[in-house]
Amino acid sequence: MGITRESRHKRRHTGGKRKVHKKKRKYELGRPGAMTKLGGKVVHLVRGRGNNLKYRALRLETGNFSWGTETCTRKSRILDVTYNASNNELLRTKTLVKGCIVQVDATPFKQWYEAHYGVMVGKKRKGKKKDDEEEKEEVKQSKHTLARLRARQKDRQIDQALEDQFSSGRLYAAVSSRPGQCGRCDGYVLEGKELEFYVRLMKKKGGKK
């Protein structure tokens, strides 16, 4: 017996049993879940109804993640699955699904931020002023470039919780694509109230911090 999405086997709202008057149909079929894991990229093609294709990702290790407040999207490596609201088993097996919270490599976003604003982010400052001055002297920039960076720095704001994550080299992100359907694991970087919410849940539920 194959997987099916029909509801003839279910009872009525009153609790009575339904008579099954026809067999399963091809257009009601269901398929096993992809259960996408962390690892080297493996994507299978699945033929669907109307000769359409689904991209069934079995293993993925990278994805495009968007930093909303800075309007910056970068391809980043997925390091770990840290929270899943639906099932702790998916957390234990590091299964990538839509809506799960992952940790991604902060390096691409860090490099963009430093190039865009000319400011080091997530650097632990413990008596390293001399080193910073030497770095500034090494990089020669035109007056136009310096003026542009100064103009950008006027409106520069970064959440303290996000800056702390840059120091650790890992950012929390939410997966917004469906890896088992489109073969990609894309999402957005968590920040603000949403970040606070998920950090609190991870501590409460005993997720990976």
Side-chain angles (χ1 to χ4, degrees), residues 120-188:
M120 298 289 283
V121 64
K123 190 171 183 180
K124 296 175 182 176
R125 295 172 184 173
K126 294 181 180 178
K128 292 185 178 179
K129 290 182 179 178
K130 291 181 181 179
D131 295 341
D132 292 345
E133 288 172 3
E134 288 174 5
E135 285 179 10
K136 286 179 182 177
E137 288 174 3
E138 287 176 7
V139 179
K140 291 182 179 179
Q141 293 175 322
S142 66
K143 290 181 181 178
H144 175 73
T145 304
L146 292 171
R148 191 171 58 190
L149 291 175
R150 278 195 297 271
R152 285 173 182 167
Q153 287 172 20
K154 286 179 184 176
D155 301 324
R156 184 180 72 90
Q157 286 182 341
I158 186 167
D159 191 11
Q160 185 58 47
L162 206 58
E163 194 162 5
D164 293 340
Q165 287 183 61
F166 273 113
S167 301
S168 67
R170 292 173 170 226
L171 297 175
Y172 285 119
V175 176
S176 58
S177 69
R178 302 171 69 192
Q181 305 292 319
C182 65
R184 299 170 65 90
C185 189
D186 300 337
Y188 58 93

Side-chain angles (χ1 to χ4, degrees), residues 82-115:
T82 57
Y83 181 76
N84 193 309
S86 61
N87 191 351
N88 266 342
E89 186 70 11
L90 300 179
L91 175 66
R92 187 185 66 79
T93 54
K94 299 188 194 307
T95 304
L96 296 169
V97 293
K98 181 177 178 177
C100 73
I101 306 302
V102 296
Q103 277 189 328
V104 299
D105 186 16
T107 308
F109 297 101
K110 196 173 181 180
Q111 289 172 344
W112 173 86
Y113 195 89
E114 289 166 9

Side-chain angles (χ1 to χ4, degrees), residues 22-69:
K22 65 176 181 179
K23 293 183 178 180
K24 293 179 180 180
R25 299 293 190 255
K26 172 75 172 175
Y27 55 77
E28 294 170 344
L29 69 79
R31 298 184 184 90
M35 305 301 281
T36 311
K37 299 291 189 288
L38 271 176
K41 185 178 178 181
V42 177
V43 179
H44 286 183
L45 293 181
V46 177
R47 183 196 177 276
R49 191 169 167 83
N51 206 27
N52 292 304
L53 290 176
K54 288 190 176 189
Y55 299 88
R56 186 81 79 232
L58 303 181
R59 287 201 303 273
L60 289 173
E61 59 184 353
T62 58
N64 289 333
F65 291 90
S66 175
W67 185 0
T69 53

